[in-house]
Amino acid sequence: MSIRAVLFDVFGTLLDVQSVWARADQLFPGNGAQLARLWREKQLEYTRLRTISGRYVSFTRVTEDALQFACDALALPLDAAARGMLMHEYTQLDPYPDAIPSLKKLEQAGVTIGVLSNGDPGLLDDVLHGAGLADYFDIVLSADQVHAFKTAPAVYELGPLTLKHPASEIVLVSSNAWDAIGAKWYGYVSFWVNRAGGPLDRLGERPDAIGKSLDDAAGFVLQSVKKQEK
Amino acid sequence: MSIRAVLFDVFGTLLDVQSVWARADQLFPGNGAQLARLWREKQLEYTRLRTISGRYVSFTRVTEDALQFACDALALPLDAAARGMLMHEYTQLDPYPDAIPSLKKLEQAGVTIGVLSNGDPGLLDDVLHGAGLADYFDIVLSADQVHAFKTAPAVYELGPLTLKHPASEIVLVSSNAWDAIGAKWYGYVSFWVNRAGGPLDRLGERPDAIGKSLDDAAGFVLQSVKKQEK
């Protein structure tokens, strides 16, 4: 295994989306958790249906549609102000506490670092700058470039195409098991950040490594890089 | 609109999956509803991820994988006997009370009737015979024929290819809004059986008609057929 670069997923992996759920509970007291769950579920569902059917719209649009559906389903009144507040929260996410230390370690080791996200370029630019992470990345790859969402092969293909290394020499780090498995299916070395310690999805494939934190992920990448230097 | 045929979705549309949920609650008292919800959610998720990534396995296999994950996630002990019982329940579903009366009406009007389902042919054969519906169908179309699941265009294409009519002359009836929308995206006339009266998914498209029952769906088809005879 000869590792040349690492690509991170963004939402939920580098950036903590908890603040969105907290805002949801502020706006709809007692309903925040249920709204957040349904919103997230529908957001993913819509990315997949649109990808399968070739009906791409931006991640921001999908996120807003999913929010509207979730509020419809839970009979929560979503006015323009509430919608604006929740969508804005999405552009203002905090990094996980171990994000910057992990990126620093990788940078110091000379590893090429990037992100590969479903988010559209405008949203990615906003959130990565807002979280103080932008300077760590050599490349920012967005599903929008190919008008499909993960786990479409066309999305994962952006890594090898842009980095000019085969996927087997790139580690993809994601907190979504399905993303880590999708990347592995494509040919990446993949790392699942399993913060909650949940069971692995049963898709007939396993990530190459599993840990509990971004620090674990950075450790895995550095170890893989060192091995090849020996 | 010149309607030549109608295709029904099967699981949840013609056949009631409640008995599976009831069995789940019998096996895991108090956890049936939560297990059923997660099982169904993962079943759909796995069909979509495998379709996007070109990693098809049969619907029966996906259903069993999803059941295992759901039990893992809820820390419910799924032994071989429980797994067998729940999976067997899936082959023994009852039709909705208005299924046979609706199919009879359509048959008497001389409409070509078929099913278009994610289910694999063996499972479809079992459930449609078990429910006493098999004799009403001129054709049984399975996603397995193209090794992809709904809403893949290749699956919807089976209708026009087999019936030798354009999709715009075929009504697709489904209790899943995403299926009715997927069919509409493909070019079908689509009918959503919205039994629970829930909100429509926000995917930028609407089914051609929405009703509360299979009887409503049959009425819509017969009305469309009559119009063209005038």
Side-chain angles (χ1 to χ4, degrees):
Chain A
M1 191 161 61
S2 157
I3 295 304
R4 309 284 177 177
V6 56
L7 291 176
F8 287 90
D9 174 52
V10 174
F11 299 98
T13 298
L14 291 171
L15 302 181
D16 189 348
V17 294
Q18 277 304 322
S19 58
V20 185
W21 311 154
R23 176 71 74 178
D25 205 64
Q26 234 174 42
L27 288 168
F28 304 110
N31 290 298
Q34 210 187 354
L35 173 59
R37 191 186 61 73
L38 188 55
W39 184 8
R40 172 66 175 164
E41 201 178 296
K42 282 286 158 182
Q43 181 195 47
L44 290 178
E45 183 181 356
Y46 290 178
T47 62
R48 290 162 186 168
L49 291 170
R50 286 183 172 281
T51 297
I52 296 174
S53 292
R55 299 279 171 160
Y56 180 82
V57 295
S58 75
F59 188 68
T60 299
R61 164 74 189 280
V62 161
T63 301
E64 198 164 335
D65 287 345
L67 171 61
Q68 186 63 60
F69 176 87
C71 287
D72 293 348
L74 299 172
L76 300 173
L78 185 72
D79 60 20
R83 184 189 297 110
M85 223 179 281
L86 284 168
M87 290 300 295
H88 181 66
E89 203 68 54
Y90 235 94
T91 66
Q92 307 266 315
L93 302 172
D94 287 326
Y96 279 99
D98 57 352
I100 289 178
S102 300
L103 291 169
K104 270 191 179 148
K105 269 189 227 168
L106 291 166
E107 187 183 49
Q108 282 160 7
V111 178
T112 301
I113 314 173
V115 305
L116 177 59
S117 167
N118 272 344
D120 31 296
L123 175 61
L124 287 177
D125 195 54
D126 283 354
V127 291
L128 295 176
H129 277 96
L133 300 185
D135 290 346
Y136 293 99
F137 301 116
D138 301 295
I139 54 165
V140 174
L141 301 173
S142 161
D144 188 71
Q145 295 171 241
V146 295
H147 279 207
F149 294 107
K150 294 176 181 177
T151 56
V155 177
Y156 291 120
E157 194 181 21
L158 287 169
L161 277 182
T162 312
L163 291 165
K164 313 256 188 287
H165 295 301
S168 59
E169 299 181 4
I170 308 170
V171 179
L172 188 133
V173 176
S174 180
S175 64
N176 297 300
W178 55 266
D179 186 14
I181 290 169
K184 175 79 182 167
W185 273 337
Y186 182 81
Y188 283 86
V189 175
S190 83
F191 188 98
W192 178 32
V193 181
N194 180 17
R195 285 200 186 84
L200 183 66
D201 272 305
R202 301 235 167 203
L203 288 161
E205 185 59 91
R206 299 180 61 82
D208 292 278
I210 301 175
K212 289 208 162 295
S213 64
L214 293 171
D215 196 54
D216 289 351
F220 172 76
V221 173
L222 292 175
Q223 197 181 33
S224 306
V225 170
K226 265 188 197 156
K227 263 186 202 155
Q228 80 206 36
E229 283 171 351
K230 272 177 192 167
Chain B
M1 192 161 61
S2 156
I3 295 305
R4 308 285 177 175
V6 55
L7 292 176
F8 288 90
D9 174 53
V10 174
F11 298 98
T13 298
L14 291 171
L15 303 181
D16 189 347
V17 294
Q18 277 304 324
S19 59
V20 184
W21 312 154
R23 176 70 76 176
D25 205 63
Q26 235 174 41
L27 288 168
F28 304 110
N31 290 297
Q34 210 187 354
L35 173 59
R37 190 186 62 73
L38 188 56
W39 183 8
R40 171 67 174 164
E41 200 178 296
K42 281 286 158 182
Q43 181 195 47
L44 290 178
E45 183 182 354
Y46 290 178
T47 62
R48 290 163 187 168
L49 291 171
R50 286 183 171 280
T51 297
I52 295 173
S53 291
R55 299 278 170 160
Y56 180 82
V57 295
S58 75
F59 188 69
T60 297
R61 165 73 189 279
V62 160
T63 301
E64 198 165 334
D65 286 345
L67 171 60
Q68 185 63 61
F69 177 88
C71 287
D72 292 349
L74 300 172
L76 300 173
L78 185 72
D79 60 19
R83 182 189 299 109
M85 223 178 282
L86 284 167
M87 290 300 295
H88 182 66
E89 203 67 54
Y90 234 94
T91 66
Q92 307 265 313
L93 302 172
D94 287 327
Y96 278 100
D98 57 351
I100 288 177
S102 300
L103 292 169
K104 270 192 180 147
K105 269 189 229 168
L106 292 165
E107 188 183 49
Q108 282 160 8
V111 178
T112 301
I113 315 174
V115 306
L116 177 60
S117 167
N118 272 344
D120 30 297
L123 175 62
L124 287 177
D125 195 54
D126 283 354
V127 290
L128 295 176
H129 277 96
L133 300 185
D135 290 346
Y136 293 98
F137 301 115
D138 300 296
I139 53 165
V140 174
L141 301 174
S142 160
D144 188 72
Q145 295 171 241
V146 294
H147 279 206
F149 294 107
K150 294 175 182 176
T151 57
V155 177
Y156 291 120
E157 193 181 21
L158 287 169
L161 276 183
T162 312
L163 291 166
K164 313 253 188 291
H165 295 300
S168 59
E169 298 181 4
I170 308 170
V171 179
L172 188 133
V173 177
S174 181
S175 63
N176 297 300
W178 55 266
D179 186 13
I181 290 170
K184 175 80 182 164
W185 273 337
Y186 182 81
Y188 283 86
V189 176
S190 82
F191 189 99
W192 179 31
V193 182
N194 181 16
R195 285 199 186 85
L200 183 65
D201 271 305
R202 301 235 166 202
L203 288 161
E205 186 59 272
R206 299 181 60 83
D208 292 277
I210 301 176
K212 289 208 160 294
S213 63
L214 292 171
D215 196 54
D216 289 350
F220 172 76
V221 174
L222 291 175
Q223 198 181 32
S224 306
V225 170
K226 264 189 197 156
K227 265 187 200 154
Q228 79 205 38
E229 282 171 352
K230 271 180 194 166

